[in-house]
Amino acid sequence: MMAFGLPRAAAVVTLVLGLAAASAMADDVEMVFLKSAVAKGAVCLDGSAPVYHFSPGSGTGANNWIVHMEGGGWCKTPEECVIRKGNFRGSSKFMKPLSFSGILGGNQQFNPDFYNWNRVKVRYCDGSSFTGDVEEVDSKTNLHFRGARVWDAIIEDLLNKGMSKAKSAILSGCSAGGLAAVLHCDKFKDLLPPSAFVKCVSDAGYFIDGTDITGNKFVRTSFKNVVTLHGSVKNLPSSCTSRVSPELCFFPQHVLPTMKTPLFILNAAYDSWQIRNILVPSAADKKKEWAKCKVDIKGCSSSQLVTLQHFRDEFLSALPKPEQSPKIGMFIDSCFAHCQSGAQDSWNADGSPSIQKMVRLAVLKLAQ
């Protein structure tokens, strides 16, 4: 694993760790349907109201906030987005109550650093990492591309709930939500008091501009289609779009050089989603020779394992260099995993990836 504490790198260690199961108490939380946002056009793909889950802070955490954005991939064509309208990825009509655990857990024993903070989970129903904003609604599909408006409306509501007086605040997310944490990080900081300690955490959101097994940039084309369909350009960091093509700004490696707010990256070098979709997308494996390997590394041949190792090297080379980015910390493990902060077994349990619990403690330093 690579473990870089803030403000500068403290250690680089490579280990191979597995995830261990751990039971932990999870707390039921309030489910907020933000119906007032509908009038502003801040809606899910199907036009339904956006949703977030909220657990208020108490005691020493009463003025501290952690806002975690749900992941769930993207839809890059109208057909894909229509499918999402029929489930919770595109409609709040299908969303159900949930419990918090991991970095959002409310049990002091299992989440000692953030258990009493104001904890928020923003549900993901737009398919664009909260960047879309197209005014026109197609009468045939009734698709609403309004992810950026959803993010704005929910953050505004949280500011009115007391986040405007935050002393410490963390914007985090998993997968597509982890990417959103990068894309919205500087904006998030600008909305909070100048005196607040504001940091961001991207869990499994460091998608690399990598090549697939055929040598093509399949994921780059996919992201270009997402940006075009959702009208995302105007909601991507201008410091990035002014330098490179808009779709490249969906790769954090192109955003971080001009990012101002401190960021902590939590990712697996053998990220399971990236292996399935960046290294071996279905279009690049028409003979399905990777069908077993890309879902379970125990099913990989020796040559496929070498390819995975090369992907790891490509991933590591795409990370920012610590000496060049003093505001960026990271914990990169060698697990075959995707998203590690939301589940108790990988966040803070016996056997979870750690170097003397440096994952949890390094994230805590973000708010100090």
Side-chain angles (χ1 to χ4, degrees):
M1 284 177 280
M2 301 174 63
F4 297 127
L6 297 180
R8 288 188 177 276
V12 179
V13 183
T14 302
L15 299 171
V16 177
L17 293 174
L19 297 180
S23 59
M25 294 178 62
D27 56 327
D28 293 325
V29 293
E30 177 187 3
M31 188 173 183
V32 180
F33 286 83
L34 198 57
K35 296 180 180 180
S36 61
V38 176
K40 303 175 183 178
V43 293
C44 298
L45 286 170
D46 70 333
S48 58
V51 169
Y52 67 87
H53 302 263
F54 175 61
S55 181
S58 62
T60 57
N63 292 314
N64 298 331
W65 292 73
I66 180 165
V67 180
H68 185 83
M69 293 172 287
E70 184 179 37
W74 308 269
C75 56
K76 60 184 182 295
T77 66
E79 292 76 17
E80 290 180 355
C81 294
V82 167
I83 292 174
R84 286 183 172 233
K85 284 174 53 181
N87 58 60
F88 68 94
R89 296 295 186 203
S91 173
S92 61
K93 297 176 183 178
F94 299 95
M95 293 180 185
K96 298 179 180 180
L98 49 74
S99 298
F100 281 175
S101 63
I103 196 172
L104 291 177
N107 186 291
Q108 184 175 7
Q109 178 183 354
F110 299 109
N111 190 28
D113 305 310
F114 309 114
Y115 76 97
N116 64 347
W117 284 34
N118 293 279
R119 291 162 289 124
V120 180
K121 183 168 186 175
V122 180
R123 300 303 299 270
Y124 182 47
C125 63
D126 67 276
S128 71
S129 285
F130 300 97
T131 62
D133 191 357
V134 177
E135 182 65 34
E136 182 181 357
V137 177
D138 190 320
S139 59
K140 295 181 179 179
T141 62
N142 194 39
L143 285 171
H144 299 69
F145 301 116
R146 307 285 179 76
R149 296 193 201 184
V150 168
W151 191 86
D152 289 342
I154 289 178
I155 295 299
E156 180 182 2
D157 201 57
L158 295 176
L159 289 170
N160 292 334
K161 266 189 165 73
M163 195 169 71
S164 60
K165 300 178 181 179
K167 292 183 178 180
S168 296
I170 293 175
L171 180 68
S172 70
C174 151
S175 191
L179 173 59
V182 173
L183 298 177
H184 289 288
C185 187
D186 284 343
K187 182 177 180 179
F188 182 71
K189 185 180 187 303
D190 290 342
L191 292 171
L192 295 171
S195 60
F197 291 95
V198 182
K199 321 292 177 179
C200 300
V201 177
S202 176
D203 177 8
Y206 200 89
F207 300 96
I208 67 168
D209 186 15
T211 54
D212 63 33
I213 55 174
T214 64
N216 293 316
K217 297 275 189 178
F218 177 83
V219 72
R220 184 187 290 188
T221 300
S222 295
F223 281 167
K224 182 176 182 178
N225 292 337
V226 172
V227 170
T228 301
L229 178 66
H230 292 265
S232 301
V233 176
K234 56 181 173 292
N235 295 307
L236 297 173
S238 59
S239 59
C240 180
T241 55
S242 63
R243 295 180 294 105
V244 299
S245 297
E247 67 272 13
L248 295 183
C249 296
F250 257 50
F251 300 105
Q253 65 197 83
H254 298 299
V255 178
L256 268 54
T258 53
M259 193 169 166
K260 299 177 181 179
T261 308
L263 172 73
F264 191 85
I265 301 166
L266 171 60
N267 223 105
Y270 297 98
D271 186 296
S272 57
W273 189 94
Q274 297 198 49
I275 287 173
R276 291 193 302 268
N277 296 278
I278 294 180
L279 178 63
V280 196
S282 297
D285 184 34
K286 295 181 180 179
K287 294 183 179 180
K288 301 186 183 302
E289 295 174 346
W290 282 76
K292 293 182 179 180
C293 176
K294 69 179 185 178
V295 297
D296 183 357
I297 57 175
K298 294 179 181 179
C300 298
S301 67
S302 57
S303 62
Q304 288 174 330
L305 288 174
V306 171
T307 300
L308 293 182
Q309 182 66 43
H310 288 163
F311 178 81
R312 172 187 179 275
D313 294 341
E314 186 177 13
F315 180 89
L316 295 179
S317 67
L319 291 168
K321 303 300 182 288
E323 64 275 10
Q324 298 173 345
S325 308
K327 290 186 176 181
I328 297 175
M330 63 185 79
F331 188 96
I332 310 300
D333 62 38
S334 293
C335 299
F336 184 70
H338 186 67
C339 291
Q340 301 177 77
S341 64
Q344 199 60 52
D345 60 356
S346 55
W347 173 243
N348 181 25
D350 292 337
S352 62
S354 67
I355 299 178
Q356 297 180 346
K357 297 301 180 184
M358 285 184 67
V359 174
R360 183 175 54 78
L361 295 180
V363 173
L364 176 61
K365 288 182 180 179
L366 293 171
Q368 294 180 340

